[in-house]
Amino acid sequence: MEEKARYVTIEEALNKGKDHVNLRGWVYRERKSNKFAFIVLRDETDIIQCVIKKSNAPEIFEAAQPLTVESSVKVSGTLKEDHRAPTGYEVQVDDLKIIQIADPFPITEYQSPELLYDNRHLWIRSREMNAILKIRNTITGAIHEFFRNRGYYEFDAPVFQPMMSEGGSTLFEVKYFDDKVYLSQSWQLYAEAGIFSLGKIYNMGPTFRAEKSKTSRHLSEFWMAEMEAAWMELDEVTEVAKDEIRFIIEQVLKINEKELEILERDIKKLESYAKEAYPTIKYKEALKILNEKYEMDVPWGKDLRTLEEAQLADHFKVPIIVTHYPTEIMGFYKPPSDGNPEEALCFDMLAPEGYCEIIGGSQRSLSIENMKKRLEAEGEDPRTYDWYFDLRRFGSIPHSGYGVGVERVVSWICGLDNIKDAIPFPRTMLRKEP
Ligand code: 4AD
Ligand code: MG
């Protein structure tokens, strides 16, 4: 039997910097002259220039002529340092095996964003998307690590749910045999059942909202990383959220230096987010800053708009937590605070540089009566929530939780213009393909 060649990744080859190597991958760029054929090869790790000199290897030079962008190849050759090459080294090719000659690639250098989204299945190969997807992988890995290190259990909730948690207007209705259900808007209500068994739990999963807004911050399918903890109150849960975000950023700085560079992300800013304390302010203090310092005109009782959130986070230059939003405009499960019922025991975390809300969370209401009233006011049938009210009937305790918008965090950390690039195959009101 013929001995199998040992292949190394381009990254391994670049680290080695010398000797003979076998590589495999795809043609990232190609250029041919009378005497030379240059192929920039890419794989999942990096790119490297490969050179075929006609006078040295006339047959290989000939074989390389039909190569097109994204053709798949196996290349063998000797590594040589070369400052002109894109990653500092060059492979002097002595063997080339073509696996497939690619059709003309539909994506060329300057393309409209819509064409890139139409060809998303091909565009995820780009260096930029490769870097984003690697950072996303660090972020989701860090979320698991953060909670597991702290003794949280992973707990799963159904995606088909009989009721809403975040407002009826963004529900996706799905035919369910002869009945109907909704796609999950949040893991939370089921998590509130889970804590009576497991105490501290977390989850990360697909979440669905029929968002009619066409912004650069909304997806109709996104991933939310949520936590819920028994006995925890607002002042404690906000600290968990800060620690989680700082941990995520530390991990990205540790693991993804190369990817941040490809994305031209300002590392200094990320370093400050990993290091600095994040302030917590109340909604009413936020209004004071906006109205007095920035001459805005936000009346008490209104939710903060993107523009106002952006101004606030920029004021502090680090992520901030805003608590005690007006109870009236908050979800049915967010409780009024004891001394001040118009203020709810809830919070958002707002990220700077215009990225705004990345986390929403709260302490949870323990009053069946209050929640019923709120649900009825929203046109919901409280009977659908009866199982949820059982959690207040059988050993009710204070508890809290929050949800991190994974793509919001990916966008912010990568410095993206649009949240659609934070997920491999984005879904929005206007985009459901490919
Ligand atoms: O603020 P939200 O709606 O909170 C909840 O769903 C709570 N039930 C979570 C909890 O307490 N367990 O959503 C949480 C986060 C937001 O802060 C935002 O980052 C993200 O989810 N998010 C979206 N991300 C992308 N596209 C959308 N349409 C989003 N809607 C919310
Ligand atoms: Mg929210």
Side-chain angles (χ1 to χ4, degrees):
M1 211 168 69
E2 199 189 325
E3 206 191 321
K4 270 205 161 175
R6 203 182 96 74
Y7 290 91
V8 294
T9 64
I10 293 173
E11 189 173 61
E12 284 165 339
L14 289 169
N15 287 338
K16 223 169 160 205
K18 58 181 177 56
D19 298 342
H20 192 264
V21 289
N22 301 315
L23 300 170
R24 51 191 168 189
W26 296 268
V27 175
Y28 181 67
R29 279 198 293 263
E30 50 80 29
R31 183 164 57 84
K32 291 155 203 142
S33 72
N34 293 336
K35 293 181 186 154
F36 292 98
F38 291 98
I39 300 165
V40 178
L41 188 73
R42 71 162 186 90
D43 69 5
E44 65 277 20
T45 64
D46 214 323
I47 57 174
I48 193 166
Q49 178 165 291
C50 303
V51 210
I52 304 157
K53 196 172 175 187
K54 188 178 182 184
S55 58
N56 285 356
E59 282 128 62
I60 302 174
F61 180 83
E62 212 43 57
Q65 293 308 305
L67 282 179
T68 51
V69 168
E70 286 307 309
S71 294
S72 40
V73 293
K74 292 179 174 177
V75 171
S76 301
T78 306
L79 284 163
K80 196 178 137 258
E81 201 166 350
D82 186 330
H83 296 301
R84 291 161 306 176
T87 41
Y89 289 88
E90 186 173 89
V91 179
Q92 297 181 321
V93 179
D94 55 39
D95 199 12
L96 170 73
K97 189 156 188 255
I98 295 173
I99 311 300
Q100 194 247 335
I101 299 278
D103 286 1
F105 202 57
I107 304 170
T108 52
E109 203 150 347
Y110 299 102
Q111 294 292 0
S112 74
E114 279 318 297
L115 185 133
L116 297 183
Y117 290 121
D118 288 341
N119 286 289
R120 191 70 169 181
H121 52 298
L122 302 175
W123 180 239
I124 54 175
R125 307 173 179 200
S126 63
R127 280 200 105 195
E128 189 184 329
M129 281 308 302
N130 172 281
I132 295 169
L133 295 175
K134 283 176 180 168
I135 292 173
R136 181 184 167 106
N137 171 70
T138 302
I139 292 170
T140 53
I143 291 170
H144 284 289
E145 199 180 328
F146 176 82
F147 286 113
R148 284 167 181 252
N149 285 346
R150 292 182 170 222
Y152 283 69
Y153 293 97
E154 190 170 359
F155 175 84
D156 297 316
V159 169
F160 289 146
Q161 299 184 2
M163 71 293 176
M164 68 91 185
S165 58
E166 304 302 322
S169 67
T170 61
L171 281 174
F172 275 111
E173 193 177 305
V174 179
K175 190 172 162 328
Y176 193 76
F177 304 102
D178 292 330
D179 202 351
K180 63 169 192 193
V181 289
Y182 307 105
L183 295 180
S184 173
Q185 283 180 313
S186 170
W187 161 91
Q188 179 194 323
L189 302 190
Y190 292 90
E192 288 185 62
I195 55 159
F196 289 88
S197 173
L198 297 170
K200 299 189 291 184
I201 57 180
Y202 82 100
N203 183 271
M204 190 160 18
T207 306
F208 305 88
R209 307 243 176 125
E211 303 280 2
K212 309 231 166 45
S213 45
K214 288 164 238 163
T215 74
S216 58
R217 301 169 57 248
H218 289 88
L219 293 164
S220 52
E221 176 179 327
F222 62 99
W223 284 65
M224 201 182 339
E226 296 180 82
M227 64 74 79
E228 193 75 28
W231 308 107
M232 206 177 265
E233 297 185 9
L234 183 66
D235 57 339
E236 207 181 330
V237 81
T238 51
E239 296 310 303
V240 178
K242 293 176 188 177
D243 288 347
E244 180 184 353
I245 296 301
R246 270 197 298 261
F247 181 71
I248 290 172
I249 293 177
E250 278 167 22
Q251 290 297 99
V252 171
L253 284 169
K254 205 189 292 174
I255 297 169
N256 298 110
E257 197 184 338
K258 186 157 132 187
E259 287 73 31
L260 292 169
E261 197 176 310
I262 290 172
L263 298 172
E264 296 174 11
R265 182 63 167 108
D266 184 342
I267 307 246
K268 285 259 153 1
K269 287 211 170 103
L270 292 183
E271 282 168 349
S272 79
Y273 306 149
K275 203 168 62 215
E276 313 254 330
Y278 302 173
T280 299
I281 60 170
K282 284 190 171 174
Y283 167 86
K284 67 175 178 219
E285 292 160 344
L287 293 196
K288 212 161 166 228
I289 293 171
L290 292 174
N291 293 342
E292 287 175 12
K293 190 135 187 144
Y294 297 100
E295 292 167 6
M296 291 178 145
D297 194 17
V298 196
W300 201 95
K302 280 215 134 152
D303 208 355
L304 300 178
R305 292 173 302 169
T306 309
L307 163 104
E308 291 139 8
E309 289 184 350
Q311 184 59 263
L312 266 180
D314 270 358
H315 176 76
F316 290 97
K317 309 221 161 30
V318 289
I320 61 162
I321 283 195
V322 181
T323 63
H324 297 85
Y325 284 81
T327 311
E328 198 56 33
I329 54 167
M330 291 289 112
F332 74 96
Y333 57 78
K334 295 186 183 175
S337 55
D338 281 343
N340 227 340
E342 33 329 322
E343 295 179 342
L345 298 175
C346 66
F347 77 97
D348 276 358
M349 186 186 283
L350 313 178
E353 302 176 75
Y355 289 93
C356 304
E357 182 190 336
I358 55 172
I359 299 184
S362 76
Q363 204 166 306
R364 311 309 189 189
S365 175
L366 302 180
S367 161
I368 297 177
E369 205 180 317
N370 263 351
M371 289 194 281
K372 266 191 181 158
K373 251 190 247 153
R374 293 294 308 275
L375 285 167
E376 269 160 3
E378 284 185 51
E380 291 290 310
D381 180 354
R383 282 174 303 182
T384 328
Y385 295 77
D386 204 49
W387 69 267
Y388 178 72
F389 297 144
D390 270 353
L391 309 174
R392 311 300 190 257
R393 296 184 182 115
F394 298 98
S396 184
I397 48 161
H399 61 287
S400 303
Y402 62 80
V404 177
V406 171
E407 290 75 18
R408 295 261 176 103
V409 172
V410 173
S411 283
W412 168 50
I413 291 182
C414 293
L416 305 180
D417 292 336
N418 197 305
I419 195 167
K420 286 192 283 186
D421 288 324
I423 187 164
F425 293 97
R427 295 289 176 260
T428 65
M429 190 169 133
L430 301 175
R431 164 85 41 201
K432 57 179 177 356
E433 272 130 8

